[in-house]
Amino acid sequence: MDPFAKLPTEIILLILESCCDFTSLDGLQQISSRAEQAFNTSYKAIAEHVLRKCSLTSEGLHNEFTLLASIESTKYTPIALLERLDRLSGGAVRPISISATNSLAAVRQAVSTAAKVHLTACACLQHLFDRLESAKPRRPIAPAAEIIERMHGELPGFDGETSQFAIDPPSWIETHRTHRGLWDLELFRHIYNAASTHWSWSSRELDFFTEQYVEWCRLEWGLEGIRTISECVVDLCSTEPTDVSHRFPFLIAIPSPATLKLQVCWSLPAAPIDIQVDLIWGRRRSMAKGRNEVFRYYNALGGGDKGPNNPLWKLDFRAFRRLGIPLWEGWRF
């Protein structure tokens, strides 16, 4: 039975507009044909209401939502896409609005994608936190000079003492970074599909765009974040996900959350209000748009400009990504 069967359309519209995330909006339409009908009649206004109420899309991720809706619209052109990406890479913030040219089908696709991103992000964060809780790092107890010699294999290894992580729930910034990485993957897949079908790009043009898209992601917030999320999604899949680009294997197609090994849904945390304590702890909302502070040390450990002269240059840092370090806030460490 439809839970909204006896409610007037005006009340259903108010309920849809009051949703604080797109998982709720998408879910209501799945369980109620009346809710779906109400959305179809006012999809632009409802989507804009939720974009403003959601703690993530109201803080920048509406750009990804509206871009995807535009890509799914048949009237969108490659030139408009490139201009939009140029503005995004320059830090331009578009107003929260749905274009009048976006069709119902395009906006519904964006809503469905936003819901998929939310559910997949919850699964990824839970998976990474489970790893943190089960990890048993060892704090080395030895002079600094001996530690370096042991890492070079000049001295036998050491056990050290076991330390334990204190696990707090994911913060708004960490959630924002996870959603952003998933949006980057979803946007690339939709752009690639549109370019291959509607726009009839050649393989050379597709390869060039792929390189430019990866470079755009790298300049925006580095590639370790998107690689972390991509590898986490692969771990959660029962079957190998599709590689959208064979040149860059981390550009995968995100599967349906229903097929993931871990299924969980959290409410989205509220955005920081940038009070003094948030500023002291580095929890400003603007921090979500770039790399975390740990990257300074992460890149230094990776060698940076020193290359082979750094004693840790040859180490495999996939373990950093397996613990989600590129996504975390600096205070977590």
Side-chain angles (χ1 to χ4, degrees):
M1 180 179 176
D2 191 328
F4 294 159
K6 297 182 179 180
L7 293 179
T9 302
E10 294 77 10
I11 299 299
I12 297 176
L13 288 173
L14 289 175
I15 293 174
L16 296 180
E17 291 177 353
S18 67
C19 290
C20 294
D21 58 68
F22 286 95
T23 304
S24 302
L25 179 61
D26 188 56
L28 288 176
Q29 294 180 70
Q30 292 183 32
I31 65 172
S32 170
S33 59
R34 291 287 312 283
E36 183 179 14
Q37 292 168 6
F39 179 82
N40 292 348
T41 59
S42 303
Y43 67 91
K44 183 177 182 292
I46 293 172
E48 288 179 351
H49 271 284
V50 180
L51 282 171
R52 293 187 179 95
K53 290 180 70 69
C54 175
S55 65
L56 296 180
T57 55
S58 63
E59 293 293 337
L61 291 183
H62 67 283
N63 288 312
E64 283 74 2
F65 182 98
T66 55
L67 177 55
L68 190 143
S70 296
I71 293 168
E72 290 298 311
S73 299
T74 56
K75 296 181 180 180
Y76 204 63
T77 65
I79 294 177
L81 167 67
L82 297 177
E83 291 176 350
R84 179 77 176 272
L85 288 176
D86 282 341
R87 287 197 295 270
L88 285 179
S89 62
V93 178
R94 292 173 60 89
I96 298 179
S97 64
I98 304 295
S99 173
T101 61
N102 291 161
S103 64
L104 168 62
V107 175
R108 283 184 63 86
Q109 179 62 60
V111 170
S112 176
T113 299
K116 180 168 73 169
V117 165
H118 181 188
L119 293 173
T120 306
C122 290
C124 286
L125 287 169
Q126 183 64 61
H127 188 52
L128 294 172
F129 273 71
D130 289 344
R131 280 182 178 160
L132 279 177
E133 289 182 329
S134 61
K136 295 181 179 179
R138 293 188 176 274
R139 185 184 297 109
I141 307 299
E146 287 189 17
I147 293 175
I148 295 177
E149 291 176 347
R150 293 176 194 275
M151 293 178 63
H152 278 290
E154 298 171 3
L155 292 175
F158 49 80
D159 291 331
E161 65 177 20
T162 302
S163 59
Q164 187 65 43
F165 287 115
I167 308 300
D168 293 322
S171 68
W172 178 85
I173 290 177
E174 294 166 343
T175 304
H176 191 285
R177 286 175 177 153
T178 306
H179 279 242
R180 181 180 178 182
L182 290 167
W183 271 112
D184 285 346
L185 293 174
E186 278 293 291
L187 277 177
F188 178 77
R189 181 176 70 86
H190 283 269
I191 294 171
Y192 197 93
N193 289 342
S196 304
T197 55
H198 304 315
W199 303 334
S200 301
W201 284 6
S202 66
S203 57
R204 183 177 180 181
E205 289 172 324
L206 286 170
D207 288 343
F208 178 75
F209 171 75
T210 301
E211 292 177 357
Q212 293 300 307
Y213 190 86
V214 170
E215 179 65 11
W216 174 64
C217 291
R218 186 188 69 80
L219 293 175
E220 281 289 288
W221 67 310
L223 294 181
E224 290 303 323
I226 194 171
R227 281 178 174 152
T228 298
I229 294 165
S230 177
E231 291 172 8
C232 187
V233 171
V234 171
D235 287 341
L236 290 170
C237 290
S238 53
T239 58
E240 193 74 16
T242 304
D243 290 339
V244 182
S245 169
H246 296 295
R247 297 185 62 190
F248 300 96
F250 58 86
L251 294 175
I252 61 173
I254 301 173
S256 168
T259 65
L260 299 180
K261 299 175 185 176
L262 181 62
Q263 297 177 23
V264 62
C265 184
W266 301 332
S267 59
L268 298 176
I273 56 177
D274 288 354
I275 58 176
Q276 187 61 29
V277 67
D278 289 325
L279 300 179
I280 294 173
W281 282 93
R283 292 181 172 179
R284 299 185 303 273
R285 285 171 290 179
S286 59
M287 297 290 291
K289 298 179 181 179
R291 309 180 188 191
N292 63 16
E293 296 178 359
V294 178
F295 259 102
R296 287 187 300 158
Y297 308 103
Y298 182 88
N299 290 333
L301 290 174
D305 297 331
K306 297 180 181 179
N309 295 324
N310 190 297
L312 303 182
W313 183 65
K314 294 184 179 180
L315 291 184
D316 185 351
F317 283 91
R318 281 180 294 182
F320 277 60
R321 297 197 294 269
R322 287 181 61 81
L323 293 175
I325 288 177
L327 304 176
W328 305 145
E329 288 193 67
W331 60 265
R332 192 173 290 281
F333 302 95

